[in-house]
Amino acid sequence: METFLAALALGFLGSFHCVGMCGPIALALPTVNNTKISRVLGILFYNSGRVITYGIFGVLFGFLGKAFIISGYQQVLSVALGVLILLIVFFSTEVSQKFSVTQLILPFVTRIRISLQKLFKTKSYESLFLIGFLNGFLPCGLVYTAVAGAIVTGEPLKGSLFMIFFGAGTLPAMML
């Protein structure tokens, strides 16, 4: 249970980052109609899409963590991920200058951006859900940190729950 509370806390405390990075997307969401109920439903559909994406990540990375446990390297992985996170935090400028991953992920992000542009032109709850779902795939350091937690759980179900709790922690700020 402590693991999931940590995920919830990570999401909640990190949600200030979410407001800055994803807030503009959330504010620009197309409304189905201008009633308060419709806006609330739209926000729920958008955020549900995001959290479901995180849950899928949790399953996938939980399987990866399980592979590390089976091979006997989970403790090494946990320490390595912790050190990597600290290095990125303390030396992010130096790391980004030496290793440009932008060229590797640019085609992927471009495809998501094009899909998002199409979805923003459609005013439906389905499009709002899909906007949130695709938004979950956009590069985000906070999500990467949560993914590290999902890996460490070592199980697909626990990894998924970790990521869902993380996403739930971001909900209060993202819904406001």
Side-chain angles (χ1 to χ4, degrees):
M1 189 61 176
E2 292 89 17
T3 303
F4 302 127
L5 289 175
L8 191 66
L10 175 64
F12 182 74
L13 295 172
S15 64
F16 300 106
H17 161 83
C18 299
V19 169
M21 298 305 288
C22 295
I25 292 173
L27 288 173
L29 291 174
T31 55
V32 176
N33 61 46
N34 275 335
T35 66
K36 285 184 182 182
I37 292 172
S38 175
R39 279 182 267 168
V40 169
L41 281 174
I43 290 168
L44 288 173
F45 273 94
Y46 165 75
N47 283 293
S48 296
R50 236 179 9 90
V51 173
I52 287 172
T53 301
Y54 299 158
I56 292 168
F57 285 164
V59 169
L60 297 174
F61 286 100
F63 272 117
L64 181 63
K66 187 175 185 102
F68 278 101
I69 289 173
I70 290 171
S71 64
Y73 290 110
Q74 197 229 4
Q75 203 168 25
V76 172
L77 174 67
S78 297
V79 171
L81 286 173
V83 169
L84 181 63
I85 289 169
L86 289 173
L87 288 173
I88 290 171
V89 167
F90 290 117
F91 303 107
S92 61
T93 305
E94 291 84 1
V95 170
S96 65
Q97 288 173 350
K98 292 187 183 194
F99 302 101
S100 176
V101 294
T102 306
Q103 295 304 319
L104 295 173
I105 63 169
L106 190 59
F108 177 72
V109 172
T110 300
R111 278 185 268 155
I112 290 175
R113 185 180 53 78
I114 290 168
S115 297
L116 285 172
Q117 285 175 337
K118 291 177 185 174
L119 288 168
F120 266 91
K121 294 176 183 173
T122 307
K123 294 182 178 188
S124 71
Y125 294 120
E126 179 184 357
S127 67
L128 291 169
F129 174 83
L130 291 172
I131 289 168
F133 186 81
L134 290 176
N135 186 33
F137 287 97
L138 292 174
C140 174
L142 186 61
V143 173
Y144 301 154
T145 302
V147 162
I151 292 171
V152 172
T153 66
E155 294 182 28
L157 178 60
K158 284 185 179 177
S160 180
L161 287 173
F162 186 92
M163 292 300 291
I164 289 169
F165 272 78
F166 161 74
T170 66
L171 289 178
M174 287 302 293
M175 291 184 77
L176 287 174

